[in-house]
Amino acid sequence: MQRNLPLALKVGHLRLVAAIAEHGQVQAAAQALGLTQPAASRTLAELERMVGAPLFHRRPRGMVPTAAGEILARRGTEVLAGLTDIARDLASVAAGATGEVRIGAVTGPALGLLVPAARRLRAEAPGVRLSVEVAPSVQLVQGLDSGALDFVLARVPAGIDPSALRVGPGAHEPLRFLVRAGHPLAGRRAVPLAALAGFPWVIQGRGTPIREAVDAALRGAGVGLPPDVTTTASLMLTVALVARTDAVAAVAVQVARLVADGRGGPDAGLVTLDTAEPLDLPPWHLLTLRQRRLSAAAQRMLALVRDQIGQDRDGDPGAADPQGAGPPGNGDPGAGDP
């Protein structure tokens, strides 16, 4: 037996042995493989020389595998099945049906866009592994630059060279003010921003888009945040505090749609205020790196996200806004940076 037999074996050798073991004749095996009988006979003889032993007993009723032939036929069939699996898996990866997609988003697009896009991805390509990071824009763009994320839905942070980024579609983020249903301001129409300053607040830290927008709006109204302010980026803690106190929380419209009861009434939990002045955040965008080639799976998810952005722009998100409070939304799926 040749010492380098594993390297010398070819797929054609394995296919021929398996076919002869199945059909019992060289001629029938050759026909099944699309070979001539002389070519099949030469290949079998070559393989037997390589193995150093006969692979089949020649009997009047057909060819029966020897011990060596049985091993080669059985193991060869396993190898051929494995090669078929490899080809199928590679084709699946090339089609974006398998693989891993790593994306990031600020809170609003994560709720409004990635949830429905992920649901569609799961239906179309259940073999794709999806991971989503929800974080501030600075952290997301750092992850994009390092290769930890394939694409992000975020704002371009100050100090970042935008030339390295491919800036895709995005949306503005309207803010809503969240309170409990029994809050003194709940149910009132056209509440001035100045009136909100008389209550405790739950809000994100300084430097975040929501905090900057609210601080600027309150300064424009001639007031500022009250001394009683709880600073947190946790949505769960924000909801818990607002539900149990008279605190006011500024959240983007998608967050409000998730946690507020649009019906209002005595049985409602959280509601949004109808404020007199509209308040928006700077727009987020779909960001990718110019010099990075995305995998087929990432391209598939990217296409679904783009399509979801288009659907939201064409839809009527104001109908889904809790209580119809404040100015109608514009289809943006956002909440501020967490």
Side-chain angles (χ1 to χ4, degrees):
M1 182 181 298
Q2 292 188 13
R3 299 174 66 178
N4 64 342
L5 179 62
L7 299 178
L9 283 174
K10 301 177 183 178
V11 173
H13 292 145
L14 303 179
R15 294 179 64 207
L16 179 61
V17 173
I20 295 175
E22 178 183 356
H23 295 283
Q25 294 180 341
V26 173
Q27 182 177 2
Q31 289 178 347
L33 299 177
L35 302 172
T36 64
Q37 181 173 347
S41 297
R42 287 194 301 271
T43 299
L44 177 59
E46 175 189 26
L47 184 55
E48 289 180 326
R49 286 194 301 273
M50 293 167 57
V51 173
L55 298 179
F56 293 93
H57 298 294
R58 278 69 171 175
R59 303 278 172 80
R61 293 187 176 182
M63 302 177 69
V64 179
T66 64
E70 288 180 356
I71 292 174
L72 201 56
R74 175 166 49 85
R75 294 294 191 181
T77 300
E78 294 172 358
V79 170
L80 292 172
L83 292 175
T84 300
D85 290 342
I86 290 173
R88 183 182 62 247
D89 291 347
L90 290 175
S92 182
V93 169
T98 58
E100 183 178 9
V101 183
R102 305 156 303 168
I103 56 182
V106 294
T107 306
L111 297 176
L113 282 171
L114 296 189
V115 170
R119 189 165 56 242
R120 292 175 60 189
L121 179 70
R122 189 62 56 227
E124 295 180 8
V128 173
R129 301 183 304 278
L130 178 64
S131 63
V132 179
E133 179 176 351
V134 180
S137 292
V138 171
Q139 183 176 332
L140 294 175
V141 174
Q142 289 174 347
L144 181 65
D145 184 61
S146 69
L149 299 173
D150 293 312
F151 63 89
V152 301
L153 300 169
R155 298 171 182 84
V156 179
I160 297 295
D161 181 7
S163 65
L165 301 173
R166 182 175 289 108
V167 180
H172 286 275
E173 298 187 87
L175 286 183
R176 298 291 182 263
F177 295 95
L178 196 67
V179 297
R180 65 182 180 89
H183 193 280
L185 297 180
R188 289 177 52 181
R189 305 297 296 177
V191 177
L193 290 179
L196 276 60
F199 294 91
W201 276 71
V202 184
I203 196 168
Q204 296 170 8
R206 295 188 184 279
T208 61
I210 283 183
R211 181 62 175 267
E212 295 296 315
V214 168
D215 283 349
L218 290 177
R219 285 196 303 269
V223 295
L225 281 176
D228 188 358
V229 175
T230 301
T231 300
T232 181
S234 169
L235 177 58
M236 292 183 64
L237 181 59
T238 297
V239 169
L241 288 172
V242 170
R244 290 168 172 80
T245 70
D246 281 340
V248 177
V251 299
V253 64
Q254 285 293 344
V255 174
R257 291 172 186 167
L258 178 67
V259 302
D261 190 329
R263 297 168 298 175
D267 297 328
L270 304 181
V271 296
T272 54
L273 297 177
D274 177 8
T275 52
E277 299 88 354
L279 188 59
D280 285 351
L281 292 173
W284 54 263
H285 291 279
L286 177 58
L287 305 177
T288 56
L289 286 182
R290 289 188 179 277
Q291 301 303 319
R292 179 176 302 157
R293 179 180 176 84
L294 296 179
S295 68
Q299 291 180 34
R300 178 191 284 267
M301 183 60 179
L302 182 66
L304 291 175
V305 171
R306 286 181 180 274
D307 183 62
Q308 193 65 44
I309 292 174
Q311 289 186 34
D312 280 12
R313 283 179 170 176
D314 294 339
D316 181 18
D321 205 0
Q323 279 193 292
N330 61 354
D332 37 70
D337 285 18

